[in-house]
Amino acid sequence: MRVDAECTGAADSSPPPKNNVELVPTPIYRTARGQRVAKQRSQALTIRRRLRNVRRAVYASVARSATQVLMRLPFTWVRRLTRLFVGTFGSLLHRAAVDTNLATVFRDQMSLADRRRVRRAMFKNMADLPAEVLAVARRGEAFLGSRFLPGPGIEKWCDLQRRYPVGLIALGGHIGNWELLLQYLHVAGARPFGGAIAKRITNPGLNRLVEQMRGRFGVPTVYVDEGAGGMVRRLRQGLALGVMPDQDIRRLGGIFVELFGRPAYTPIGPARLAIVAQAPIVVVFAKRVGDRLELIVNDPIVPDRQATREQEIVRITRAWSGEIESFIRAHPEQWMWLHDRWRTKPTDVAERRAR
């Protein structure tokens, strides 16, 4: 009884409200204000999304209109325009990034004059790529074949397709004209292509335009977010797949492989696909030689059934990455040096896994 009395007394001892005004709990005001703020933020987000969609639609419409116009011009004219545009604006916007990457990779092995020469040749190559793609889309397979020099590359590719009943994984990089590379292998190869593996462009209109250009000769686009099941089925049907995994893509699973003496986060998707489908990886390039292209086909990297999955993923990834590095060392002007290939650090991956 004494405890109850003390508790009751403690409860009644609180001072009464001043002027007998009933106090209203503040959470009601906070909740109402929070609802208003959330509504304002939602409206602002909706407006930003609509503006972004309008901006994307405008970009896609301009790109489609420009594509239609350029496709009707002579190839030499289009190439002059792209060289002027890319050589001028590309150099202004990305010259510092290219010079930094070249200086970091080659250090004293390449002089300042050689780095400038490589940079100019790289921008020239990047300018010729869209001009050739537009001309091929307009003129067809005959013009596509005329862009490639005769040589043993296509014969070796066809021989590999006949040797292996499963489809080949044509693995390349952003070297030479990587867009025409898969088109040429599809048209001139012994068996057709099942698709070009790519990631979606955030702009839906531009994504559809690129997809249509790639599919001019029957090469569909297979997106990485569609899963590996469809890719494995295509390979087991004997269809080839093309992939360009020479960039730093944080969202994809990868391992760190030495590239020019530095750890580079490298996708392991091609190795996994090769192991599951038991399909060889063939590193291929469309090397630029003057104003034309030369098909380079390396020896196949065949999965080892006796090795463990983890061992094969590391071995295959190191193998194809090493072949790309060897080509870039011999022909540095052929690679796209704009990209920060060493952007992801081992500490970034460790922090991401911890989260």
Side-chain angles (χ1 to χ4, degrees):
M1 295 298 295
R2 183 178 301 174
V3 175
D4 294 340
E6 290 177 357
C7 292
T8 304
D12 295 337
S13 62
S14 59
K18 295 181 179 180
N19 301 327
N20 295 326
V21 177
E22 183 180 359
L23 295 179
V24 180
T26 54
I28 295 179
Y29 290 103
R30 291 177 181 174
T31 303
R33 183 176 180 275
Q35 291 175 349
R36 289 196 297 270
V37 172
K39 185 176 181 180
Q40 293 173 356
R41 291 178 178 175
S42 177
Q43 292 174 347
L45 181 61
T46 301
I47 293 174
R48 287 198 298 270
R49 286 176 177 174
R50 289 177 178 176
L51 291 175
R52 180 196 62 190
N53 293 336
V54 170
R55 185 172 63 252
R56 288 179 175 177
V58 171
Y59 290 163
S61 178
V62 171
R64 187 174 295 276
S65 299
T67 299
Q68 296 298 323
V69 172
L70 293 174
M71 285 175 59
R72 287 166 170 77
L73 296 178
F75 170 64
T76 55
W77 292 15
V78 176
R79 189 169 57 183
R80 289 176 184 174
L81 289 174
T82 55
R83 285 180 179 179
L84 177 62
F85 183 83
V86 175
T88 302
F89 294 99
S91 181
L92 289 175
L93 295 175
H94 303 289
R95 177 170 55 187
V98 174
D99 290 344
T100 300
N101 287 331
L102 288 173
T104 302
V105 168
F106 292 102
R107 298 182 178 89
D108 298 335
Q109 303 174 16
M110 183 179 292
S111 64
L112 178 61
D114 289 337
R115 291 202 297 270
R116 290 175 178 173
R117 177 188 59 80
V118 169
R119 186 186 68 216
R120 289 193 296 268
M122 187 210 71
F123 281 118
K124 179 175 174 291
N125 175 64
M126 291 184 61
D128 289 352
L129 185 148
E132 290 172 334
V133 170
L134 291 172
V136 167
R138 172 70 173 176
R139 301 188 184 185
E141 295 183 8
F143 185 78
L144 173 64
S146 68
R147 299 310 300 164
F148 282 83
L149 295 168
I154 192 61
E155 297 176 2
K156 183 175 181 179
W157 173 260
C158 293
D159 180 66
L160 291 174
Q161 284 189 312
R162 298 187 192 100
R163 187 189 312 175
Y164 296 97
V166 70
L168 304 177
I169 300 175
L171 189 148
H174 293 79
I175 292 170
N177 193 322
W178 60 88
E179 289 291 346
L180 291 190
L181 172 62
L182 302 185
Q183 303 285 354
Y184 182 65
L185 292 177
H186 171 71
V187 171
R191 291 202 302 268
F193 252 74
I197 302 174
K199 62 179 181 179
R200 297 181 190 273
I201 302 174
T202 55
N203 188 323
L206 289 179
N207 190 77
R208 286 193 296 271
L209 177 61
V210 173
E211 186 176 317
Q212 291 171 0
M213 296 296 291
R214 286 175 178 164
R216 284 277 177 167
F217 302 126
V219 180
T221 301
V222 181
Y223 295 105
V224 293
D225 57 9
E226 295 177 357
M231 304 177 193
V232 173
R233 285 194 297 271
R234 286 178 170 89
L235 290 171
R236 289 176 176 172
Q237 293 171 359
L239 302 176
L241 288 177
V243 61
M244 308 289 169
D246 62 330
Q247 291 189 336
D248 186 328
I249 305 177
R250 300 179 182 180
R251 296 186 301 273
L252 300 181
I255 59 175
F256 284 93
V257 174
E258 288 292 322
L259 182 67
F260 294 103
R262 301 168 60 192
Y265 189 67
T266 307
I268 58 176
R272 285 177 171 175
L273 188 61
I275 294 170
V276 173
Q278 284 300 300
I281 290 179
V282 182
V283 178
V284 292
F285 306 110
K287 174 186 173 184
R288 190 168 297 282
V289 181
D291 288 338
R292 299 178 70 183
L293 301 166
E294 177 185 0
L295 177 63
I296 305 296
V297 179
N298 291 0
D299 294 333
I301 304 172
V302 183
D304 185 1
R305 294 177 180 269
Q306 305 302 322
T308 65
R309 179 185 178 90
E310 291 74 16
Q311 290 174 343
E312 278 300 271
I313 286 177
V314 174
R315 181 188 71 86
I316 292 174
T317 304
R318 286 177 176 173
W320 67 253
S321 179
E323 293 185 8
I324 289 180
E325 178 181 347
S326 297
F327 184 91
I328 297 173
R329 283 188 180 276
H331 311 282
E333 73 283 352
Q334 302 271 336
W335 197 39
M336 189 175 65
W337 290 93
L338 307 178
H339 178 69
D340 186 1
R341 185 62 182 86
W342 300 268
R343 175 181 54 186
T344 301
K345 307 294 189 297
T347 54
D348 299 335
V349 177
E351 292 175 358
R352 183 174 61 190
R353 289 175 179 173
R355 288 196 300 267

